[in-house]
Amino acid sequence: MTIYQSRTTYQSRTSADADAEAAHATLAAHVPDRDSGICPACRTSGPCPPANAAANRLVDLGLPVLAPIPARRVPAMLVRITPLLTYAWQRRLGLLPTTGGG
């Protein structure tokens, strides 16, 4: 008789993870208005003290304050059209050899 035991992986959550999550939530809530520069949560000019404290905590943890900017994806349609546009411009400018009598 064979007995199978299921294995469950538990991820322990450290206080640093909780601090980082709280700091990111604070930064998301305390974003200054683009026009007035006033934090909507604190009603003070930004960056406000809670946002500064959250950013400093992330730096102390060795984490980036801002999320990385994702790479721009080239649309699939543009990838397919680009060689055609290049060929058309070469033809229009007369850079391609002509065939026949034309």
Side-chain angles (χ1 to χ4, degrees), residues 19-31 39 41 48-55:
D19 286 350
E21 187 176 317
H24 281 294
T26 302
L27 286 174
H30 292 268
V31 177
C39 173
C48 59
N52 281 334

Side-chain angles (χ1 to χ4, degrees), residues 21-90:
E21 187 176 317
H24 281 294
T26 302
L27 286 174
H30 292 268
V31 177
D33 185 40
R34 288 182 182 223
D35 296 330
S36 65
I38 294 177
C39 173
C42 298
R43 302 278 185 207
T44 60
S45 61
C48 59
N52 281 334
N56 288 335
R57 181 63 184 143
L58 288 171
V59 170
D60 290 342
L61 294 173
L63 299 171
V65 176
L66 300 175
I69 299 171
R72 292 185 68 189
R73 235 182 93 223
V74 178
M77 184 60 121
L78 186 61
V79 171
R80 286 183 279 178
I81 291 176
T82 302
L84 298 175
L85 293 175
T86 304
Y87 177 79
W89 274 106
Q90 287 178 355

